[in-house]
Amino acid sequence: MKRSWRQVCPLLAAAAAILILLPPPGATAQTGGRDLARAYFDSGMEFLRSGRHQQGLADLNIIVESYGQSPYADNALLQIGIHHLETVIDPVTALKYFNTVILRYADSESAPEAYLRKGLILLEAGGTRERLAEASAAFDRVVRFYPHSPVVCRSLLFSALALKEMGESKAALSRLMDLRLIQGECPEAARADWEAALLLMETDYPLEAMKRLQSLRDRHPDSAEAPRALEALALLYRMEIRSREDASALYLPDPSFSLAPPEKWKSPKCLRVLADGRLVVSDRGRDSVYLFDRTGRLTDMVKPGDVDQISVCPGENVLVGG
């Protein structure tokens, strides 16, 4: 049965300390079982890919229970956990499998991925500083224990995001800087530059933010973040550079824009422009959030707590579907 994040949050603390009970690694494994373990693994993954989940899990569990010392046991556990997380949508059970990989197969190639997945579950659940701190710690352990793992870049990025949620901007920027220093191509580099620029803007370093945004455009011109970086650069230029030269140039009227709320607001709380240009206005008095397109036309009105949420007002319980 699928559970919502709101339902599973109270269960995560207990799940973080619970392991899947397994026989000792290799308790029933035989010396010649490596090829058979591989055959079970390949069969299990093929079943999962073809949608025959019950049969796939059965094959992977045979490896876990009967071939615990084989080089496929750690990945079998990891894949079972990923299935529970992404297909069954059961992060509580998934977390138990990831914890088991970490404890029983700490020196395996699956361990850094298990730490990353554990951190993502806790970060997604959010809600408490303790949970966010545990998520950040899981990401940091990937970097410290497995510095050559292919998931190091992602771990640094999500550690920074967890620290940002905790209000630790300086530490978050440090993680993002570490990501920039990694040699070779890092798929998360453009996202890291974007997040670093946002942090610099939020902590009142607009000129440093502009440098990071321009670096993003130079280094990753084809990334999804590049157009947003250009928009942010234009806005910062008007506010920080052009406005000092000519204050009248900061804001100019746009005749094509006409904000049209459907009703009179009672207590507008805050306004935010999303990366895609939509305008979001939250009305605390009506307990609603209004979304407008670039021309000011109302496109949606939602209540707090909708699925697929983004925060509109920092520190406020006002959420809107993204």
Side-chain angles (χ1 to χ4, degrees):
M1 179 180 69
K2 296 184 179 181
R3 298 188 180 103
S4 70
W5 282 105
R6 290 172 181 245
Q7 291 172 312
V8 303
C9 282
L11 303 175
L12 287 173
I18 295 176
L19 305 177
I20 301 299
L21 296 178
L22 305 174
T28 58
Q30 302 299 319
T31 303
R34 176 169 178 166
D35 290 342
L36 190 54
R38 177 175 181 176
Y40 272 116
F41 183 82
D42 291 343
S43 174
M45 295 305 296
E46 181 60 31
F47 277 134
L48 290 180
R49 282 191 292 268
S50 63
R52 299 172 67 182
H53 301 149
Q54 184 176 355
Q55 291 80 8
L57 293 176
D59 284 352
L60 294 178
N61 273 309
I62 287 175
I63 303 172
V64 172
E65 296 174 4
S66 300
Y67 299 97
Q69 282 187 330
S70 77
Y72 304 98
D74 58 290
N75 202 5
L77 271 171
L78 179 69
Q79 296 302 326
I80 294 172
I82 292 174
H83 174 79
H84 281 286
L85 179 62
E86 297 183 349
T87 303
V88 183
I89 318 298
D90 184 358
V92 174
T93 300
L95 188 55
K96 296 175 186 177
Y97 280 98
F98 298 146
N99 280 329
T100 304
V101 174
I102 290 167
L103 184 66
R104 299 183 71 97
Y105 301 99
D107 60 348
S108 70
E109 294 183 358
S110 298
E113 177 80 12
Y115 269 119
L116 174 65
R117 297 277 182 166
K118 174 180 179 176
L120 289 172
I121 289 174
L122 296 169
L123 178 60
E124 181 74 17
T128 67
R129 183 178 180 85
E130 180 181 2
R131 193 176 294 134
L132 290 170
E134 190 175 353
S136 179
F139 299 133
D140 288 345
R141 288 186 178 107
V142 175
V143 180
R144 295 171 185 172
F145 302 157
Y146 313 97
H148 303 296
S149 168
V151 299
V152 163
C153 288
R154 291 186 68 199
S155 298
L156 282 168
L157 173 63
F158 287 111
S159 179
L161 296 180
L163 290 165
K164 179 181 177 180
E165 288 294 315
M166 296 166 62
E168 298 184 12
S169 299
K170 186 175 180 180
L173 280 169
S174 176
R175 300 294 192 281
L176 296 171
M177 181 57 69
D178 289 343
L179 194 155
R180 280 175 62 94
L181 297 176
I182 292 178
Q183 298 297 320
E185 182 59 30
C186 189
E188 291 74 24
R191 171 82 184 277
D193 279 345
W194 173 253
E195 295 293 343
L198 293 180
L199 276 169
L200 289 166
M201 285 187 278
E202 291 173 7
T203 52
D204 211 16
Y205 290 96
L207 297 183
E208 291 300 317
M210 292 180 72
K211 293 178 183 177
R212 184 61 64 91
L213 291 167
Q214 186 57 53
S215 175
L216 188 165
R217 297 185 63 238
D218 292 340
R219 296 172 62 199
H220 312 285
D222 299 323
S223 66
E225 289 79 11
R228 291 192 289 173
L230 179 59
E231 293 181 4
L233 272 169
L235 179 61
L236 286 173
Y237 173 78
R238 292 170 187 163
M239 296 180 66
E240 299 296 329
I241 307 298
R242 185 69 181 274
S243 63
R244 299 177 186 178
E245 302 170 357
D246 181 7
S248 64
L250 180 56
Y251 295 106
L252 295 175
D254 182 355
S256 67
F257 185 86
S258 178
L259 191 63
E263 54 193 352
K264 186 176 181 180
W265 289 323
K266 287 187 177 181
S267 178
K269 185 62 180 177
C270 69
L271 175 148
R272 180 180 174 188
V273 179
L274 304 182
D276 60 6
R278 288 184 298 167
L279 178 68
V280 180
V281 180
S282 66
D283 187 344
R284 193 170 189 177
R286 293 191 178 277
D287 197 30
S288 299
V289 178
Y290 303 84
L291 282 80
F292 302 87
D293 63 17
R294 290 174 179 266
T295 68
R297 182 178 64 86
L298 180 72
T299 60
D300 200 3
M301 182 181 73
V302 294
K303 295 289 184 180
D306 281 11
V307 180
D308 298 329
Q309 299 164 339
I310 58 171
S311 174
V312 177
C313 306
E316 291 288 329
N317 293 323
V318 180
L319 302 171
V320 58

